[in-house]
Amino acid sequence: MTPVQIGHVRRSFALVEPIAPQAAALFYDNLFTADPSLRQLFQGNMAQQGSRLMTMIGAAVDLLERPDALVPVLRKLGARHVNYGVQDQHYATVGAALLKTLQQGLGNAYTDEVHAAWVALYHVVSETMMDAARGSVARAA
């Protein structure tokens, strides 16, 4: 990601953080509307799940300029998500739900540049997690 993209992500996420619980609930609503079958992958309290999601996104945003620290975290997360039943095709649905949530939550602050920056971030996150998931499956076989 470029420094300009990192700036767009950080500034826009700062606008989302104060409404994190509502943003997380909106994200899951968007996700389950896009693919109702994904609901079965989520067990337990969805408010807690939403809190973990927002914490994870915040941690990723904080580490954008330190890929040496971010990538290992994403790889562990990707390997763990295999155990939850997450498959490669789910990442596209999650990404679309994330972008829709940001658009809804940010309103006019969701510019083309902000969109492109979040697409770039999600590409890094999803590709790293999927690569780690494939590796963990291959090691288990």
Side-chain angles (χ1 to χ4, degrees), residues 111-132:
T111 63
D112 290 343
E113 293 83 9
V114 169
H115 172 82
W118 279 95
V119 167
L121 171 59
Y122 190 71
H123 177 77
V124 170
V125 169
S126 62
E127 289 298 320
T128 303
M129 289 178 67
M130 286 188 292
D131 181 63

Side-chain angles (χ1 to χ4, degrees), residues 6-112:
I6 291 171
H8 285 307
V9 167
R10 285 205 169 128
R11 283 187 297 278
S12 59
F13 189 67
L15 297 173
V16 173
E17 281 183 302
I19 58 163
Q22 296 91 336
L26 184 58
F27 166 79
Y28 287 114
D29 184 53
N30 289 331
L31 181 65
F32 299 147
T33 297
D35 186 347
S37 73
L38 293 178
R39 187 178 295 276
Q40 69 187 353
L41 300 181
F42 295 87
Q43 305 299 320
N45 184 308
M46 288 307 294
Q48 289 176 341
Q49 179 67 35
S51 178
R52 285 192 298 267
L53 170 72
M54 297 306 290
T55 298
M56 188 277 302
I57 293 172
V61 169
D62 287 343
L63 294 174
L64 287 177
E65 292 167 320
R66 296 184 44 224
D68 57 316
L70 177 59
V71 168
V73 171
L74 294 175
R75 292 191 63 75
K76 287 179 187 173
L77 196 59
R80 215 171 45 234
H81 276 69
V82 169
N83 298 326
Y84 306 143
V86 176
Q87 300 172 7
D88 281 0
Q89 67 269 20
H90 297 147
Y91 284 90
T93 308
V94 168
L98 174 64
L99 295 173
K100 182 175 182 179
T101 301
L102 288 166
Q103 181 180 26
Q104 292 167 320
L106 293 172
N108 291 336
Y110 190 77
T111 63
D112 290 343

